[in-house]
Amino acid sequence: MKQRIVCLLPALLLVLSTISAQHNPGVQIKKSGEYPQLLVNGKPFLILGGELGNSSASSMEYLKPRWSHLKEMHLNTVLVPVYWELMEPEENRFDFSLVDSMIGEARNHDMKIVLLWFGSWKNSMSCYAPLWMKANPKRFPRTPDSSGRSQEIFSVFGKETLAADKKAFAALLRHIKATDEIKQTVVMVQVENEIGMLPTAREMSASADKIFNANVPAGLLDYFKENKNRLVPEFRQKWEAAGAKLSGKWNDIFGEGVATDEIFQAWHYARYANEVTLAGKAVYDLPMYVNAALPRPGKLPGQYPSAGPLPHLMDVWQAGAPAIDLLSPDFYNPDTKYWCDLYARNGNILFVPEMQFDKAAAAKAFFIIGHYKALGFSPFSIESDNSGSLPLAKTYDLLQQLTPMITNKQWLNMEGVLLDKPNKKTVLKMGQYQLVVTHDATLSWSPEAKDSVWSTTGGIILQTAPDEFIVAGTGLVVTFENTDKDFVTNIAKADEVSYINGTETKGRRMNGDQDHQGRHIRFAVGDWGIQKVTLYNSPAKIDN
């Protein structure tokens, strides 16, 4: 009898696991309404993340002592590469030990994981593909450079390359489903990494030329026809300048030049990524995104990693890869608002999976989450102990305290601000009030006031009642004005507050010198905090 019970135990565990999975809401992106959210086990989740350096996840011995540093920085999510060459060192032999170790460490430190699939391409190149593929260009064709010399970049037209990528990606997702579906440690997956063509705007192989000289696929042109009024302006302008045709070859539809070459390549990259995404979602339907390396100003297609999910190609990617949930930017330039604005179009949901890890990243996290209601934020090489570590830790601490309020939408309005010397003032309209937010260095007595360069500062502001605001941030000054000029707005009270598991604790009443005798609230450069502000209004004119 005892032996029979032991034999039945695995089957019973399988049944119980299946029942639990059926009642598990899963991980999904809720897109309804104006405030999309990532839901984990049915609850909204805001990613306060960090992406590991490219090679860090290849050695658990290297990474193990660094987990405590990540926890001290108040991360709740780590973005982790999965290296195809290590996961499938021999064809059809899979090794998930690194993935399992990463998930185990994340669970031990109460964190979530976003997996980055370093598959066919990583930063344009195919450097993370298995050697058994790279060493067999006949089976897995490569692209030529501008001189016709073979590059370590797989051709997007390699049918066996796509088949191998789909099989490996599906194997990864199948393993994650089997080992993690109940605990939901893995909350999103990046498909490939910074896909982009170099040093030409499109492949120049004989097989690519043949496809380029054929008609544009009907699927792409049908998308243009059905979505004409919502195409991004720069793309629609190019299409209409060539006559807004709905049939013909690539040069007929878009005109001759490298811009058309890039559109052609983008369509085929999107179709490839969509096939890989579908293969993964067929076994475990997690949210999936693709990321793009942003071009430098003034560069033409072919001079930057071309044809990836860039803003001017958003329509091509959304048409060619409908299975992908998000198109996401990787930031290594200062034009944060410019690029975020471009990615917050066409119904695309903003998530910043990779940001240059410097001192300015801390302020950008406030701005991106507060202004764009982004799913999350993540600087790169997060395990490195650099000058950005302490500022980001302080920002994440405040955002972590406010997360229940942010995700459960316990606010009437929410905004984020980003300030430096070139952008030292932001004016916000929130309810009946106009908020003027300035850099702390605009105050003559600020230590930074006379510096030639001001540090980048920022904050997040939540209006929690008609006359109540919660302001969190660093290096900023906020004044409040009633939009009805018949009334003067004053600060009734401003209190330091903190939140632990959603419970508010009050600190100092920030009166007198702290609010400049009722004129404003302030966080000095180098100080991080949360203040809860209540306003009152009185008639602007006094009757004598």
Side-chain angles (χ1 to χ4, degrees):
M1 184 68 178
K2 182 178 180 181
Q3 183 178 2
R4 185 181 177 189
I5 291 173
V6 171
C7 291
L8 289 174
L9 186 58
L12 178 60
L13 290 174
L14 178 62
V15 170
L16 291 174
S17 175
T18 303
I19 292 172
S20 297
Q22 289 173 347
H23 288 84
N24 192 326
V27 184
Q28 57 182 300
I29 294 175
K30 184 181 179 183
K31 296 184 179 181
S32 60
E34 297 180 1
Y35 182 35
Q37 290 183 304
L38 177 67
L39 301 182
V40 179
N41 198 20
K43 298 178 180 178
F45 185 79
L46 176 64
I47 293 177
L48 305 178
E51 180 179 339
L52 296 178
N54 290 162
S55 300
S56 298
S58 64
S59 169
M60 288 308 300
E61 289 72 22
Y62 172 84
L63 198 57
K64 195 176 180 86
R66 290 165 171 81
W67 280 95
S68 58
H69 172 61
L70 303 182
K71 190 66 177 177
E72 289 167 359
M73 290 178 65
H74 299 279
L75 270 70
N76 63 18
T77 306
V78 184
L79 281 68
V80 179
V82 178
Y83 314 100
W84 190 359
E85 62 175 341
L86 299 181
M87 195 190 82
E88 192 181 5
E90 298 175 13
E91 189 168 9
N92 296 319
R93 182 175 71 82
F94 295 100
D95 181 356
F96 299 108
S97 57
L98 276 175
V99 176
D100 291 342
S101 296
M102 290 297 304
I103 292 174
E105 287 291 346
R107 289 175 183 167
N108 291 340
H109 292 86
D110 193 27
M111 295 185 193
K112 299 297 184 183
I113 290 280
V114 174
L115 293 179
L116 315 178
W117 174 235
F118 285 10
S120 293
W121 300 285
K122 193 272 175 191
N123 296 63
S124 302
M125 309 300 289
S126 299
C127 50
Y128 283 102
L131 182 59
W132 54 267
M133 295 181 67
K134 292 191 288 189
N136 191 350
K138 185 174 182 180
R139 183 181 171 195
F140 306 105
R142 294 149 75 127
T143 65
D145 63 16
S146 52
S147 67
R149 185 179 179 85
S150 175
Q151 306 180 96
E152 193 176 74
I153 302 176
F154 285 146
S155 168
V156 74
F157 303 107
K159 293 182 179 179
E160 288 210 47
T161 309
L162 175 58
D165 199 331
K166 289 169 61 177
K167 180 188 66 179
F169 190 65
L172 172 64
L173 269 293
R174 189 175 295 109
H175 180 77
I176 299 301
K177 179 181 174 67
T179 59
D180 190 58
E181 185 179 22
I182 303 303
K183 293 192 175 181
Q184 295 182 355
T185 314
V186 177
V187 296
M188 276 208 292
V189 182
Q190 177 185 287
V191 183
E192 312 299 339
N193 185 82
E194 292 186 358
I195 297 173
M197 188 64 202
L198 287 171
T200 53
R202 72 167 178 88
E203 292 187 30
M204 294 298 181
S205 63
S207 58
D209 289 346
K210 183 178 179 180
I211 297 169
F212 181 76
N213 291 319
N215 285 336
V216 176
L220 180 57
L221 296 176
D222 288 345
Y223 181 91
F224 294 166
K225 182 179 179 180
E226 294 168 6
N227 296 276
K228 181 178 180 178
N229 294 327
R230 66 185 294 269
L231 301 178
V232 298
E234 61 271 31
F235 187 83
R236 180 176 176 176
Q237 183 180 14
K238 179 169 181 55
W239 177 48
E240 291 181 340
K245 300 182 186 74
L246 291 171
S247 65
K249 298 180 179 180
W250 291 91
N251 284 339
D252 297 332
I253 301 298
F254 302 107
E256 295 187 16
V258 291
T260 296
D261 290 347
E262 185 181 34
I263 293 169
F264 166 82
Q265 188 73 23
W267 168 256
H268 290 287
Y269 274 148
R271 296 306 298 157
Y272 188 109
N274 194 66
E275 286 290 309
V276 175
T277 301
L278 287 172
K281 286 194 171 191
V283 293
Y284 190 22
D285 190 8
L286 287 174
M288 298 187 189
Y289 70 96
V290 288
N291 63 329
L294 301 179
R296 292 186 176 91
K299 298 296 182 180
L300 297 174
Q303 296 174 337
Y304 58 81
S306 303
L310 295 163
H312 64 283
L313 300 169
M314 182 175 284
D315 298 298
V316 180
W317 272 85
Q318 290 184 330
I324 290 170
D325 298 288
L326 313 171
L327 309 179
S328 296
D330 289 353
F331 277 99
Y332 292 92
N333 58 57
D335 301 320
T336 304
K337 184 179 187 305
Y338 172 80
W339 289 105
C340 284
D341 284 347
L342 294 181
Y343 273 92
R345 300 185 296 177
N346 270 25
N348 188 53
I349 300 167
L350 187 64
F351 170 54
V352 177
E354 189 171 326
M355 171 73 74
Q356 184 171 342
F357 189 18
D358 55 19
K359 289 186 286 187
K364 292 174 182 177
F366 285 127
F367 174 61
I368 287 171
I369 290 170
H371 182 68
Y372 296 98
K373 285 69 174 175
L375 296 187
F377 180 84
S378 172
F380 176 69
S381 193
I382 195 68
E383 75 282 7
S384 61
D385 191 2
N386 67 17
S387 61
S389 295
L390 185 58
L392 186 69
K394 291 180 177 181
T395 290
Y396 274 5
D397 179 23
L398 301 187
L399 288 173
Q400 194 175 68
Q401 292 183 54
L402 295 175
T403 289
M405 201 175 302
I406 293 171
T407 56
N408 294 323
K409 205 176 178 182
Q410 295 172 346
W411 41 269
L412 304 176
N413 296 286
M414 180 169 69
E415 265 295 351
V417 293
L418 185 64
L419 303 165
D420 53 20
K421 193 158 191 174
N423 179 37
K424 57 188 177 184
K425 177 180 176 180
T426 297
V427 178
L428 306 173
K429 172 71 167 61
M430 302 182 76
Q432 66 175 320
Y433 295 103
Q434 176 177 280
L435 281 62
V436 179
V437 187
T438 55
H439 195 288
D440 180 60
T442 57
L443 301 176
S444 59
W445 59 86
S446 170
E448 280 202 354
K450 296 181 181 179
D451 292 348
S452 59
V453 178
W454 297 352
S455 57
T456 302
T457 66
I460 188 169
I461 302 173
L462 286 73
Q463 184 178 18
T464 49
D467 300 316
E468 182 182 88
F469 295 83
I470 292 175
V471 183
T474 179
L476 51 83
V477 177
V478 186
T479 60
F480 302 86
E481 302 171 2
N482 199 311
T483 55
D484 186 342
K485 299 306 179 182
D486 290 336
F487 292 91
V488 172
T489 295
N490 300 99
I491 296 173
K493 56 184 177 179
D495 295 317
E496 276 185 332
V497 292
S498 60
Y499 296 89
I500 301 174
N501 298 323
T503 301
E504 181 181 282
T505 300
K506 289 185 178 179
R508 294 177 295 171
R509 172 62 57 86
M510 305 298 282
N511 206 339
D513 291 343
Q514 277 62 54
D515 68 356
H516 198 189
Q517 288 70 50
R519 293 179 178 90
H520 59 233
I521 65 164
R522 176 196 179 203
F523 300 99
V525 172
D527 290 341
W528 273 256
I530 306 174
Q531 291 187 35
K532 187 173 184 179
V533 185
T534 303
L535 307 176
Y536 75 95
N537 298 283
S538 57
K541 293 183 179 180
I542 300 175
D543 295 327
N544 293 322

